[in-house]
Amino acid sequence: MSTAIVVGPGPGPDTAQFGFSSLPLPPGSGRSELAAALADVPPGERVAVIDARFTGHPHALRLALIDPRFDAVHVPGVLTVDGPARAALDAAVRAAPGGLADPDVLAAELASAGVAPVEPELGELVAAVPRNGAEQAAAEAAIAAVDDEAVRLRRAVKSRDGFFTTFCVSPYSRYIARWCARRGLTPNQVTTASLAVAVIAALCAATGTRIGFVAAGVLLLASFVLDCTDGQLARYALKYSKLGAWLDATFDRAKEYVFYAGLAVGAISAGGDRVWALALGAMILQTCRHVVDFSYNEAYADSATNDSPTAGISDRLDAAGWTVWARRIVVLPIGERWALIAVLTACTTPRITLVVLLIACGLAACYTTAGRLLRSVARRRARRSEAAARAVRELADNGPIADAVARVLRGALADAPVLAAPLIALFAVAVQLGALLFGGAGHWWSLAPAVLYALCAGAATARPLRGPLDWLVPPFFRAGEYLTVLLLAALAVPSGASGSDRVLPAAFGLVAAVAYHHYDTVYRIRGGAGAPSAALRRGVGGQEGRVVLLTVLAAAVRPAGSLELAFTLVAAVVAAVVVTESIRFWISAEAPAVHDEAGEAA
């Protein structure tokens, strides 16, 4: 149980409802008495120092006391510390033993010492320390004028989200979140339920019957409602967790991609239609869209403003009102995308669903990528730090071959043109995919373009990726690796040959395993923990190492027609290594609590 040390005259606010035991200090107590009280609290325990005169909404006090994402939180009259901030508070109190035990003063001292407490946005919520009767009456009147529960429900919804989510889901899912909170359910339980519903939806689609497709569409929408509910429950009850961050970051992709697989199985069950290539293409396109988004954001993470003319046009469009929602629909975020998939699944066939999805996502990808290209080229004062350059390089996911080449070429490419990195990456991908498309797959000569691809991967990342378009390097290599798998599976085994119907499902599983590794990398970087270790990256070959390995395997097993076995073995090894290490990381103390409050852009 956490401890609330109450200073000043009066009983102070009710903190027991938030899991805090109250430790009131006698009136007139100063910092010496506060230091003694802090010494009596176990070092690993969360501590709040509260002015007994605190007057405010319950949710304002909740925000100050129990948000687990922050080590130090301050609202007027309340200072809460945990972890490293606890030691900073102890030091601040001991440094001036004769001073006042005022939470607001202590918060300012922590900020001066470099441990600035987070100050949650209160908005219309009241948090005050009245000094006299008039101020007390004014504070109580302000509290009575605002419905605390209505504010809490409204804030459970993301401030920025897609049109479908905002207008078709959140108006009622927030009440489901409150229902869950009042029954003690956790966000992780709701997240797991969302995954289970999505898997059932995929199984329904796999039946290949019309009633199965209809049920799949309905259940997919239900899964999305639960997907919105888990985040709203976390915000409503302030139940954030590191495990929840991992579940939230990975389950969305798992749900969507397992549904693609369900559609592919259902197409075969319904009439023998083979759409595994379309399902794999949809997964590749969606993953590459996300990599474009992640890489661009990391490249400009240190740029507070965008002074490009394109950004100015964007701001003027947003000022028109309706264009905000139109542009959010055009990028086809998760809500619109899942609604499209659900309706098409229920009303059409898996082939039509996947073809329309590929076209819609392709157009959305063109729109978002073109906008980012224009912004990048036109930016005049973009600041790209070493941390941003390192994040982009880590997103490239190079392995031992590319790392060795990069070390050799680092000096030689120090003065390379500013567009050298993305052009080298584009050249490598074009040569690799062109060789497979026009020369065929499963031949030993195709090892030459694969080796060239690996060498170019090192050359593209030999210098810091600080150029205006260097954020394109990771998306190029994602496309190169994933499309290599697709082309090898589609071309290396002739249609109708033994195993041809099993190669593409095996390729789907392989890309899914590698994509998990890439998403895991993204969310670690976004949480400030950095990418997985170089040992892990090299242990699974790096993206260029896997391209070379798969090319060799395709040529080696082609006579036996057992490419699906080779793909399955590689997928199993990659999945076992990256998922095991990922679970270890996300349940460890070092894992960040990553929660996306901005909404998914792609």
Side-chain angles (χ1 to χ4, degrees), residues 143-472:
I143 292 171
V146 176
D147 187 338
D148 178 81
E149 180 61 18
V151 173
R152 187 182 177 191
L153 265 177
R154 187 168 65 250
R155 293 192 177 187
V157 178
K158 284 182 180 179
S159 58
R160 175 185 172 87
D161 227 326
F163 179 89
F164 180 79
T165 304
T166 300
F167 294 102
C168 300
V169 177
S170 293
Y172 59 88
S173 62
R174 69 183 74 182
Y175 295 101
I176 299 176
R178 181 171 67 181
W179 183 90
C180 292
R182 291 177 175 176
R183 282 151 185 82
L185 298 177
T186 67
N188 294 350
Q189 292 170 330
V190 177
T191 301
T192 304
S194 176
L195 175 64
V197 172
V199 170
I200 295 172
L203 293 174
C204 289
T207 64
T209 62
R210 177 49 52 195
I211 191 171
F213 288 143
V214 172
V218 172
L219 288 171
L220 187 64
L221 290 177
S223 174
F224 180 67
V225 172
L226 291 175
D227 181 60
C228 296
T229 301
D230 63 0
Q232 291 165 358
L233 174 58
R235 286 181 286 273
Y236 180 84
L238 296 182
K239 288 185 176 180
Y240 300 101
S241 69
K242 293 161 184 162
L243 177 60
W246 175 64
L247 295 176
D248 187 57
T250 56
F251 277 14
D252 279 354
R253 304 287 79 79
K255 288 180 285 189
E256 186 168 356
Y257 298 159
V258 77
F259 194 82
Y260 294 170
L263 288 174
V265 174
I268 295 175
S269 301
D273 191 11
R274 291 167 172 79
V275 297
W276 272 107
L278 295 176
L280 178 52
M283 179 166 66
I284 291 172
L285 177 56
Q286 189 53 40
T287 303
C288 289
R289 286 186 64 204
H290 282 134
V291 174
V292 168
D293 184 46
F294 297 143
S295 186
Y296 175 84
N297 289 335
E298 289 302 324
Y300 291 102
D302 299 317
S303 299
T305 59
N306 187 340
D307 58 359
S308 70
T310 306
I313 295 173
S314 177
D315 292 340
R316 288 193 293 273
L317 286 174
D318 284 347
W322 65 270
T323 60
V324 174
W325 298 114
R327 294 170 68 205
R328 291 186 190 178
I329 293 172
V330 167
V331 301
L332 207 67
I334 187 170
E336 280 73 6
R337 193 167 66 251
W338 282 28
L340 176 67
I341 296 170
V343 171
L344 290 174
T345 298
C347 301
T348 66
T349 65
R351 178 174 289 275
I352 293 175
T353 300
L354 292 169
V355 168
V356 172
L357 180 65
L358 281 166
I359 294 172
C361 286
L363 293 174
C366 290
Y367 171 79
T368 55
T369 305
R372 291 188 172 98
L373 286 170
L374 290 173
R375 286 175 172 84
S376 300
V377 172
R379 283 196 182 203
R380 292 183 286 270
R381 294 189 300 273
R383 175 175 173 262
R384 302 175 186 91
S385 68
E386 176 60 33
R390 182 173 59 253
V392 175
R393 189 178 190 280
E394 289 171 338
L395 287 174
D397 190 34
N398 284 344
I401 301 174
D403 284 349
V405 173
R407 286 193 296 270
V408 172
L409 297 180
R410 188 164 295 135
L413 295 178
D415 298 323
V418 70
L419 295 180
L423 289 177
I424 292 173
L426 178 61
F427 170 77
V429 173
V431 170
Q432 168 67 8
L433 300 183
L436 294 176
L437 277 172
F438 300 109
H443 303 286
W444 283 109
W445 68 262
S446 60
L447 182 59
V451 171
L452 177 62
Y453 175 96
L455 297 176
C456 288
T461 54
R463 48 179 256 170
L465 299 178
R466 293 199 185 100
L469 297 180
D470 283 355
W471 57 269
L472 287 169

Side-chain angles (χ1 to χ4, degrees), residues 56-108:
H57 283 103
H59 194 51
L61 185 59
R62 180 182 292 105
L63 290 170
L65 292 178
I66 67 171
D67 195 327
R69 295 172 296 173
F70 311 118
D71 290 333
V73 186
H74 169 247
V75 302
V78 182
L79 172 64
T80 304
V81 295
D82 198 3
R86 170 71 188 278
L89 176 64
D90 292 343
V93 171
R94 290 194 303 268
L100 296 174
D102 188 317
D104 299 333
V105 174
L106 291 170

Side-chain angles (χ1 to χ4, degrees), residues 108-132:
E109 292 178 4
L110 287 184
S112 299
V115 187
V118 172
E119 298 191 350
E121 182 181 350
L122 297 178
E124 62 267 58
L125 294 176
V126 175
V129 181
R131 308 292 176 177
N132 51 52

Side-chain angles (χ1 to χ4, degrees), residues 499-542:
S500 61
D501 289 341
R502 299 189 296 272
V503 175
L504 280 167
F508 189 96
L510 174 56
V511 171
V514 175
Y516 176 90
H517 167 55
H518 291 147
Y519 278 112
D520 185 56
T521 299
V522 163
Y523 284 103
R524 293 197 201 194
I525 293 173
R526 289 175 66 177
S533 67
L536 175 70
R537 180 164 38 87
R538 292 167 183 162
V540 293

